[in-house]
Structure formats: C-alpha cells, structure tokens
Amino acid sequence: HRRFDYRPKTDPYCQARYTFCPTGSAIPVMKGEDVIEVYRLQAPVWEFKYGDLLGHLKIMHDAVGFKSSLTGKNYTMEWYELFQLGNCTFPHLRPGMDAPFWCNQGAACFYEGIDDAHWKANGTLVLVTTISGTMFNEMAQWVKYDNETGIYYETWTVQESPDKKSTVWFDSYECSKFILRTYQKLADLGAVFKKIQTNYTSIILFSGEPIYLGNETSIFGPQGNKTLAAAIRDFYSPFKPHQSVREFFVDLFKIIDRVILNHQFYLFYNLEYWFLPMKSPYLKIIYEEVPLPVGNKASFGV
C-alpha cells in the first residue's frame, strides 16, 4: 500500500453520516516508568444474513485498548473511515463530472475510556501484552507518521485463488490492518505478546492478473478513453455511497451479481484504476487467524 506525503484536504461535498471520531483527543505522553496494559478489542460491525448464499458473516471491527497503571485511565485507539464504509468502497457519479468522485479517507481515532460493555457483550476484550510508558510514547510517534502517510481506506483484498499460498494482487487497508501494524510496532519496540488466537475479517475478491487501466486524467481527461470511461461509470452506477451499513451490504450483493454475470470488476487503488478478470468463487468474506507478532528486541514485562 503506497505511502503519501501528506493528507489532502477533504472536499466539502463529502459529508459523513456520523461524525468521525467525535470524542477524539490527542494521545497523551506517558511517564517512562508507567506500566501499560494493552487490550485486543473486537466486536461485530453488523449481524447480517443473506439467504443461504453466504450464511452468517463475521464482519468484525477491531480496536486496541490501553490502561495506565500510574493513572488508572483507560484509552481506546481505532482506525476507520472518515465518511463511512460505502464512501470508501463506491464513488459518487456526479452530474457534470466525467470521473467518478471518491470520498475516501481512513484515519486513526484515539479517545479516553474503553466501552467495556460494547466489546465484552458482543465480542472480545482481552489483555494481549504489557508495555512501558516509553514504548507507548514511541508508538504514539509512529501512529502520527502512519496516519499522515497512509490515508486511503481500501475495502478489498484481491488474490488469485482461495489457496493459502495464492498470489495477493492487492491488499486491503482497513481497521484490522491498522491494529496489526500497531501490534507489530509494539513487538518491534520489545513488547512480548501472549499466545492467544486472534482472528480477523477479510473481504476477498478472486481475480486473474489485474490489468492496469490508468489514472483519473488518462481515462477521464480530455485525451481520455471514452469507451473505458463509460464502462467504469456503468460498473459503479448501481451503488450508493451515502448509505447505512445495511444498504452497503445490499449494494455489495449487487456487485456480486454483476461480477459473477460479467466476470469483471473495476478497482480503484492508490488513485489508479485496474481491471480485474474475475474468477470463481468471485468473492468471499473470511474470518481467519492472524497470529500476534513475535518481537525482535529484549523483552519487557511478561
């Protein structure tokens, strides 16, 4: 996933259904000698059943919690879409504009408190490691860098087949990937993680080798490819970015129908368009284990 030099200003056209990070605060500076517990947080985004096609989907949202031993304060940190999931997955087709218009950014949100009831009742709240205040402060610096340079949300993972060793053409960039990056950073700083099973949701498209199509200017600009531009607009025409989670899944299944009928998908990734020659089983939502990382420095705590 490409890193960018800065985060672009958001266009006023992009309106969020829910305010992004409404109670967010700056990440505090911890005392070096503080001992901070790190918690894995996970809960379902939506309990959704669609006939017998996919059965019960485990669409989970991931976050990480911290508890300071010195102050007793709890904190939650997560990464999610600025304008909700639909906007990160589908563009707007605006009158008078040839190119699809994307309202797509994701960012980290940090706030005081852990909503124990939410995470415990529906999912997971479990201690995964203990770190020092110094390590926490180093992690906070990394979060700032990660947030300023990894700016676009990417819903889809695209790979060649369901086989574990199959080629991954494009990797997703969403809430769980941020949590995995955070754990890895803590491990690199010396955190030692407990040996517990940790599972994450991925939405995977299956495709032959992707074909590069170009960027917005080369496709939709004055010297652009009118036929290709029309095909991309047509592909995205049934989908509505401003929508609830339920409506998002309705659109998701519209996509599946189109993809299976036509064996095609147009992917917008790192500001470029790609054509995916889709193949069976086309799309899968999987919930699979990703182990906690192993560090490479002298350990701290137990």
Side-chain angles (χ1 to χ4, degrees), residues 29-36 70 131-137 300:
V29 177
M30 301 292 191
K31 291 206 163 105
E33 70 276 14
D34 200 348
V35 175
I36 293 160
L70 283 181
I131 60 173
S132 68
T134 303
M135 287 158 72
F136 178 91
N137 295 336
F300 166 88

Side-chain angles (χ1 to χ4, degrees), residues 1 154-158 170-174 177 202-203 269:
H1 191 275
E154 181 52 54
T155 305
W156 317 103
T157 294
V158 184
F170 298 97
D171 217 345
S172 61
Y173 199 81
E174 28 70 4
K177 291 294 197 295
S202 293
I203 305 182
Y269 191 91

Side-chain angles (χ1 to χ4, degrees), residues 162-222:
D163 180 29
K164 279 266 190 280
K165 294 189 177 66
S166 108
T167 305
V168 175
W169 305 117
F170 298 97
D171 217 345
S172 61
Y173 199 81
E174 28 70 4
C175 66
S176 69
K177 291 294 197 295
F178 172 75
I179 302 306
L180 291 168
R181 290 196 302 280
T182 301
Y183 289 160
Q184 186 58 59
K185 182 64 184 177
L186 291 175
D188 293 345
L189 292 169
V192 178
F193 285 87
K194 293 177 180 295
K195 297 208 170 4
I196 55 169
Q197 184 165 339
T198 51
N199 288 51
Y200 299 91
T201 302
S202 293
I203 305 182
I204 303 178
L205 300 175
F206 298 102
S207 158
E209 186 165 352
I211 299 156
Y212 176 70
L213 300 175
N215 61 23
E216 187 177 299
T217 309
S218 70
I219 298 169
F220 298 95

Side-chain angles (χ1 to χ4, degrees), residues 34-301:
D34 200 348
V35 175
I36 293 160
E37 293 176 335
V38 181
Y39 292 89
R40 174 171 188 258
L41 310 176
Q42 187 179 65
V45 171
W46 189 252
E47 308 279 335
F48 194 85
K49 204 168 172 65
Y50 185 80
D52 294 316
L53 177 63
L54 292 172
H56 198 67
L57 308 182
K58 270 199 171 304
I59 308 275
M60 309 297 273
H61 177 68
D62 297 273
V64 60
F66 303 97
K67 182 174 184 186
S68 157
S69 301
L70 283 181
T71 66
K73 284 185 175 177
N74 293 322
Y75 302 94
T76 302
M77 184 168 75
E78 54 190 327
W79 195 94
Y80 61 100
E81 326 85 49
L82 265 63
F83 312 107
Q84 281 76 64
L85 187 58
N87 275 307
C88 296
T89 313
F90 309 117
H92 296 256
L93 299 181
R94 294 173 66 181
M97 288 178 77
D98 276 345
F101 184 85
W102 293 85
C103 290
N104 177 8
Q105 282 191 38
C109 173
F110 187 95
Y111 52 95
E112 193 173 327
I114 295 175
D115 182 354
D116 286 39
H118 171 71
W119 302 104
K120 274 185 188 153
N122 304 309
T124 306
L125 194 162
V126 62
L127 180 71
V128 288
T129 188
T130 308
I131 60 173
S132 68
T134 303
M135 287 158 72
F136 178 91
N137 295 336
E138 288 180 1
M139 176 208 73
Q141 288 302 309
W142 168 83
V143 168
K144 186 172 184 294
Y145 156 79
D146 185 78
N147 217 28
E148 285 169 357
T149 60
I151 53 182
Y152 294 110
Y153 189 101
E154 181 52 54
T155 305
W156 317 103
T157 294
V158 184
Q159 62 186 57
E160 192 158 25
S161 77
D163 180 29
K164 279 266 190 280
K165 294 189 177 66
S166 108
T167 305
V168 175
W169 305 117
F170 298 97
D171 217 345
S172 61
Y173 199 81
E174 28 70 4
C175 66
S176 69
K177 291 294 197 295
F178 172 75
I179 302 306
L180 291 168
R181 290 196 302 280
T182 301
Y183 289 160
Q184 186 58 59
K185 182 64 184 177
L186 291 175
D188 293 345
L189 292 169
V192 178
F193 285 87
K194 293 177 180 295
K195 297 208 170 4
I196 55 169
Q197 184 165 339
T198 51
N199 288 51
Y200 299 91
T201 302
S202 293
I203 305 182
I204 303 178
L205 300 175
F206 298 102
S207 158
E209 186 165 352
I211 299 156
Y212 176 70
L213 300 175
N215 61 23
E216 187 177 299
T217 309
S218 70
I219 298 169
F220 298 95
Q223 270 74 54
N225 179 331
K226 294 278 185 282
T227 314
L228 177 59
I232 293 173
R233 287 178 66 88
D234 179 61
F235 175 77
Y236 283 119
S237 62
F239 317 120
K240 313 278 181 300
H242 284 312
Q243 56 187 353
S244 68
V245 175
R246 179 188 282 278
E247 289 164 332
F248 167 77
F249 282 105
V250 171
D251 272 1
L252 187 62
F253 291 110
K254 280 188 201 163
I255 271 207
I256 296 168
D257 283 346
R258 284 201 146 200
V259 162
I260 292 172
L261 284 172
N262 304 323
H263 295 246
Q264 60 184 39
F265 190 100
Y266 289 97
L267 180 75
F268 188 59
Y269 191 91
N270 283 343
L271 305 182
E272 296 173 324
Y273 285 94
W274 296 78
F275 176 78
L276 306 181
M278 299 296 289
K279 56 192 211 183
S280 178
Y282 304 104
L283 180 144
K284 256 189 167 172
I285 297 176
I286 59 165
Y287 184 66
E288 67 176 2
E289 182 174 14
V290 181
L292 286 161
V294 176
N296 55 17
K297 283 196 177 179
S299 67
F300 166 88

Side-chain angles (χ1 to χ4, degrees), residues 5-17:
D5 295 336
Y6 64 94
R7 182 179 288 277
K9 275 202 168 76
T10 58
D11 191 291
Y13 177 82
C14 298
Q15 295 295 319
R17 184 181 279 260

